[in-house]
Amino acid sequence: MKWRCEWCGKPHEEDDPPCDNCGHGSFEEAVTQVNEEVVEGGPRWVCLDCGRQHQKNSPPCKRCGGSNFERRTGPPEDDPLDEIQTGWLDVLETKYVLGYAAVAALLGLIVLAAVGGITLPGFAAETPTGPPEIASPAGSGDSVNSLSIADVEATYLDVYNVRRSGVGGGTVSRNGTMDDAAAYYNKGRVDARYDNAEQPTREGVSRFALPCERPVVVSYEVAYDRTPQSPSQYQNETALATALVDSYIERGNRIQRADDGLIGIDIHVGPDERVFVTYVLC
């Protein structure tokens, strides 16, 4: 007794589905002699949405994802879209494509976080390196009236060394990098006072290439009630520098240690002639 597949008509010796030609799971008795020759490719299942031909009734369509198939027999029809070159992405299911895209986006965010482009929760921001920028605040760091602030800083060091020697502290010499660190901190304080900028930090000072790991930072302001007169009324740089040094000591502040004997100094006069002084010791 011959059996044949209900879908493609392929003959079989036994009623033992599924069909090895089209995969259908039901056979019928071949009452009449069936054609042993099977059309190449078997029956065709055509997607009614895009026209793509399939050998099995197994939606969704591999081209458009449609699920409306129709069984057709006869020689395969020409499909102009089959001539279009397709890649492996064309046969991926939509849910997998979306999943791959989400994973790629997540990896991109992680890479950006790693290189510092963005900050993600759980990823610490990269520690800044190199010295921070020195502000250019209101007032003047060059002169006040006819007095040179650079000369005031130089004289400040001389007077400060005299006061240090008087208490057995030893003298210190000036260092250019430490001057920059002092300027960063001092001018940052001025900028914060008059322009509501962020306050400078001790961490910012440590980012300068200082000769010591734990520098001492001393920063203070001198207003009119702390000096005999406003800065512009002093006769010379020595008089102003002496008043600034003594103003700090007269408040009961002690002379700090300077193990490496180095100092950086910055003096800035605000727009209201309040004097800002910062020095950094190593």
Side-chain angles (χ1 to χ4, degrees):
M1 175 66 69
K2 292 282 187 178
W3 297 84
R4 65 182 175 189
C5 175
E6 290 182 347
W7 279 6
C8 69
K10 180 178 178 178
H12 296 76
E13 292 295 332
E14 299 177 356
D15 184 13
D16 185 23
C19 176
D20 58 11
N21 181 56
C22 69
H24 186 58
S26 179
F27 291 177
E28 63 183 0
E29 291 185 14
V31 178
T32 60
Q33 184 67 30
V34 297
N35 185 4
E36 297 287 345
E37 181 181 358
V38 178
V39 176
E40 182 180 357
R44 292 173 292 106
W45 294 90
V46 180
C47 175
L48 297 181
D49 294 324
C50 71
R52 177 165 180 171
Q53 302 176 67
H54 302 75
Q55 286 191 344
K56 296 182 180 181
N57 184 18
S58 57
C61 175
K62 297 299 190 264
R63 176 186 294 157
C64 69
S67 59
N68 191 11
F69 283 15
E70 180 181 74
R71 183 177 184 270
R72 296 179 185 175
T73 59
E77 301 174 1
D78 292 334
D79 186 349
L81 291 180
D82 285 342
E83 298 179 2
I84 300 176
Q85 185 68 29
T86 58
W88 63 271
L89 286 177
D90 297 318
V91 299
L92 287 179
E93 294 187 25
T94 303
K95 61 182 179 181
Y96 295 131
V97 173
L98 294 177
Y100 295 146
V103 171
L106 178 59
L107 290 176
L109 290 175
I110 293 175
V111 170
L112 286 175
V115 301
I118 61 173
T119 300
L120 295 177
F123 286 83
E126 183 178 355
T127 302
T129 58
E133 182 180 355
I134 297 174
S136 299
S140 177
D142 298 323
S143 63
V144 52
N145 201 8
S146 61
L147 303 182
S148 165
I149 292 182
D151 291 343
V152 173
E153 292 173 351
T155 307
Y156 184 101
L157 176 60
D158 294 337
V159 177
Y160 179 73
N161 273 329
V162 171
R163 301 294 185 265
R164 288 183 66 87
S165 298
V167 295
T171 60
V172 293
S173 57
R174 204 163 178 185
N175 176 277
T177 302
M178 296 174 66
D179 278 344
D180 291 339
Y184 154 75
Y185 198 87
N186 196 45
K187 297 184 190 304
R189 291 184 63 240
V190 178
D191 208 16
R193 166 64 69 90
Y194 297 105
D195 294 319
N196 295 319
E198 291 187 6
Q199 290 284 350
T201 63
R202 299 298 177 100
E203 183 275 333
V205 171
S206 67
R207 284 165 53 190
F208 289 85
L210 302 180
C212 60
E213 293 184 0
R214 297 177 177 271
V216 175
V217 180
V218 176
S219 189
Y220 62 98
E221 303 173 21
V222 179
Y224 302 139
D225 58 348
R226 295 287 184 177
T227 59
Q229 52 198 352
S230 64
S232 60
Q233 294 175 319
Y234 281 90
Q235 297 297 315
N236 53 53
E237 289 81 0
T238 300
L240 176 57
T242 302
L244 295 177
V245 174
D246 290 343
S247 173
Y248 181 75
I249 295 176
E250 288 169 359
R251 302 182 199 184
N253 297 303
R254 61 184 180 85
I255 298 294
Q256 292 80 10
R257 293 181 55 185
D259 295 336
D260 296 324
L262 298 174
I263 191 173
I265 303 171
D266 185 80
I267 296 174
H268 194 97
V269 179
D272 56 359
E273 293 199 342
R274 179 182 296 268
V275 185
F276 293 77
V277 181
T278 295
Y279 58 85
V280 178
L281 285 168
C282 278

